[in-house]
Each structure stands twice: as C-alpha cells, then as structure tokens.
Amino acid sequence: MLSRRAFVRRTSSIGGLLLSAPSLSGLISCAVGGVAQPARGYGPLQPSEDYPDILSLPAGFRAKLLSRAGDPLPGGGTVPHAFDGMGAFQTGPGRVRLVRNHEVRDAAASGTRPFGVGDAYDPLGPAGTMTLEVRVAPDGAAEPLREFPSLLGTYVNCAGGVTPWGSWLTCEETVAGRAHGWTRSHGYVFEVPARADGPVAPVPLREMGRFSHEAVAVDPRTGYVYETEDARPAGFYRFRPKVSGRLSEGGALEMLAVDGRPRYDTRTGQRLGVRLPVRWIPIPEPDADEPALRPDFVYSQGFARGGATFARLEGCWFGDAGIFFNATDGGDAGAGQVWHYRPDEEELVLVFESPGHAVLSHPDNVCVSPRGGVLLCEDGDGPNLVRGLTRTGELFDLVRNELNDSEWAGACFSPQGRTLFVNLQGNTRPLERPDDPQRGMTFAIWGPWEEGAA
C-alpha cells in the first residue's frame, strides 16, 4: 500500500486526474479578500498548544474543548456519551449553536432511559441530541456558554444534516422496534430547530423512510433532501417534500439509479471522473410500523426496480451545486470513495477513491468549508485524522487524534467561517468511570485558514 506522502507525490505528477469532474471549482482554490489562492495543506502536524496529549494540529492553530461526555449539566444529569454528527447555526452576533447527535447503542434490556427530562419519543430511548451555545470571536476563538438536551427518546442517532431554514435533521441508524424491547419503531429522521431552548416535540418524519439512516443534505435551491444509508448493501435516496421547508407534511422518497444500467454496482471497478447519468426510482412503501423490520426493507424496493448499490454510505454535504457523499467501504481496496451527485446535470461522478488504508481509511463524516475545501473524518483503525481533499486529488492532514483510536465526527464550520467544530466520538457504550479516556469530546479549532485549502 502507498503511504500518504508517496500518494501525494504520485497524484501531483499526473496533473490532477483523480479529481476530473469539470465543475469542482470549489476545490481548486479558496478566495481570501477576493483573491484566489492555490489549494494546499497547512504543513506538518504537531502537538497542539492547548491539548498536546489529545490533538495534533498545524502550526498556528488553536483549540478549545467545549464539551465532554460525563461532565455535569447545570440542570442536573451529565453530558451523554457517543458524540457523532453535528451542525452549526448562527443565532445572534458572536453566537453559534451546535446541535449534536448522540449515537447511544444501549439495549432496551439494559434498563436505559432518556438522558434528559421532557417529551421523549420512546420512554426507553437512550439517544437524541444536545444543543451547545458558543461565543465565537472574530478570529474564530470559541468559548462554551451553555449546553442542554434538545431531542429525547430516540435510538442510535448517528449523523444528519443542516437545513437552510435553521434546523438540524438527526437520523437514527437502526430499524430496531418493539421486537427488540423498545416501545416504538425506530429508523427515522427527526427535525430539531436550532433556536429551541429545550427538548422539542419528537416527530418522526415517516415518509423520509424507515431504514438505517446515516446523513442527509438539503439542496437549498429545491428543498430536496438527500439521504445516505449505512448498510451493506446501501442505497442513495432523495426526498421531495410536498412543501419545501415543511418536511412533516410529507413527500415522495426515491432511490438513485444509473440510467440505462439497472442495478448498477458502484462498490468496485469504478473510474474516476466518469459521468454516470442517473434517474430516480419511487419507493412505493417508505415506512412500515413493524416490530421487526428487515434492514433492507426500503433498499430492496428500489433495487428491485433498478436502483444502484453502494458500499456503506456515510456522510453527505451540499457543495459545488451538488451533494458530496462518502462510501466508507467503497473502492477496489475497500478503503473508501467520495462521490458527487450533480442535480443540474443529473449525473453522478466518483471524485476520489482511496487506493489503500495507508492513504485514506474509511472516510465517514464530510463537510465543505466556506472556502470550498472538502474535509473528511476518518473512521479507520487509527490513529484517525480529519483530512482535507484538494481539487488535484491530494490529501492533507488537518487534525490527528493522539489520545485513542476514536473516530472523528460532526465536522462543521461556524457560519462566519473562522471556526471548525468537530467531535471525538468516544464510547458508544456507557462510560465505565467519569474520567474515562474514551469519552466523547467536542472541540473548536481556529487559525490561519487563509494559508491553505480548507
């Protein structure tokens, strides 16, 4: 397997053929003061000035620990574990709210309960979302202000996505139901307004499908919601709401298919930069309130009608007039693929495929920065990194976990673009002790972004 350094040298020498989708201009350069800057990394990583035993960052970057699993909350209780997907929202001058998922996997038989007081979807459900309010300075420096539960009683809230109307869509990565000891069916998307000051009414968006959800991304021009599925095999879905911005009023769920090539398998044997024309197949039955639902309940409906197959779809994000999404096990090496769906052309393009785990290992969450850079959170065997991907197919290291083998998750930028927020997931099971080194953490990171491609 190629090393990361050797891979960068090799991709540089072939003139950027690895990212040949013509419209990916957001990855070519970043604009600082109206002047386009060449895409590049930020130099070697070194132990962070603030948390040398936890993080390594490029020179000039700073970090602030905002939240940690097991810490006490002012209203009682403690911060729940299993940090995962997250979105950032401007809520006032110098104020940002983060809505963060908790991928808690405790079984119903363990006697688990919601981690806060309020209206819970399932009185046994141990997962949900927390909201953090943060003060952000003009240079990107961040300080935590408060933290509270904002969705209760769900299960295995993995990733999700932000909406243009100021809410977070949180996704359950499971189809568990009453046959597994729960009082309600799980496997849904829920909406959490960023400005909510406490637990919201938990309304499952049933017409968006009951399956092993991972992440969503909204096209702000149409209001369509794109959904990934963390399963083997997996589909890529589109939800067309009846009314844009009002998802609870229902809509139509569809699965991507490659036009003229029914049941196309994207998992291996793909060529970078090839434009695959796509169409969308209606899912006739997106939801079923069954005590035990087959994991492929939705996928099998689309596949039978010609839908495409992917290798464990994880993060997705709107950027460059389309949707970037990761197939974490995809590619000939099984180390990961990055796809870009372009709705204006109805095309799907493979923009990156890792040739081996030493280059990029299982890209999970993804985000696009205000400067047009693509950031990938690794979920490999460790040490895991947050990586940047340039237009020429080069990867650069941005953040490394020095504490344990926990994955990175929930990467997102503040709306003013100077602060990167990101989670170390930590345990997805209960903490063994309050100072457990495997507990989840949320960090703010800031520094000289204008000097690189992120």
Side-chain angles (χ1 to χ4, degrees), residues 8 29 83 198 256 419 450:
V8 168
S29 63
F83 292 15
L256 180 140
T419 313
E450 63 279 3

Short mmCIF file of all heavy atoms in Angstrom, two decimals, residues 8 29 83 198 256 419 450:
data_model
loop_
_atom_site.label_atom_id
_atom_site.label_comp_id
_atom_site.label_asym_id
_atom_site.label_seq_id
_atom_site.Cartn_x
_atom_site.Cartn_y
_atom_site.Cartn_z
N VAL A 8 0.58 11.47 -2.37
CA VAL A 8 0.51 12.87 -2.77
C VAL A 8 1.51 13.16 -3.88
O VAL A 8 1.21 13.84 -4.85
CB VAL A 8 0.77 13.79 -1.55
CG1 VAL A 8 1.00 15.22 -1.99
CG2 VAL A 8 -0.41 13.73 -0.59
N SER A 29 -9.44 26.30 -5.62
CA SER A 29 -8.84 27.42 -4.90
C SER A 29 -9.81 27.94 -3.85
O SER A 29 -10.98 27.60 -3.86
CB SER A 29 -8.48 28.55 -5.87
OG SER A 29 -9.66 29.05 -6.48
N PHE A 83 -20.64 10.85 21.01
CA PHE A 83 -20.79 12.05 20.19
C PHE A 83 -20.70 11.66 18.71
O PHE A 83 -19.85 10.86 18.32
CB PHE A 83 -19.69 13.06 20.48
CG PHE A 83 -19.75 13.69 21.85
CD1 PHE A 83 -20.52 13.16 22.87
CD2 PHE A 83 -19.00 14.82 22.13
CE1 PHE A 83 -20.55 13.74 24.13
CE2 PHE A 83 -19.02 15.41 23.37
CZ PHE A 83 -19.80 14.88 24.38
N GLY A 198 -35.00 23.87 24.62
CA GLY A 198 -35.21 22.67 25.41
C GLY A 198 -35.63 21.54 24.49
O GLY A 198 -35.65 21.70 23.26
N LEU A 256 -31.70 6.50 -6.08
CA LEU A 256 -30.90 6.77 -7.28
C LEU A 256 -30.64 5.49 -8.05
O LEU A 256 -30.34 4.44 -7.49
CB LEU A 256 -29.59 7.43 -6.89
CG LEU A 256 -28.63 7.78 -8.04
CD1 LEU A 256 -27.96 9.13 -7.80
CD2 LEU A 256 -27.56 6.70 -8.21
N THR A 419 -14.16 29.12 12.38
CA THR A 419 -14.06 28.10 13.42
C THR A 419 -14.54 26.75 12.90
O THR A 419 -15.63 26.65 12.34
CB THR A 419 -14.91 28.48 14.65
OG1 THR A 419 -14.68 29.83 15.01
CG2 THR A 419 -14.59 27.58 15.83
N GLU A 450 -6.67 31.04 5.82
CA GLU A 450 -6.36 31.63 4.52
C GLU A 450 -5.04 31.12 3.93
O GLU A 450 -4.77 31.32 2.74
CB GLU A 450 -6.30 33.15 4.62
CG GLU A 450 -5.21 33.70 5.53
CD GLU A 450 -5.58 33.69 7.00
OE1 GLU A 450 -6.68 33.19 7.33
OE2 GLU A 450 -4.79 34.19 7.83
#
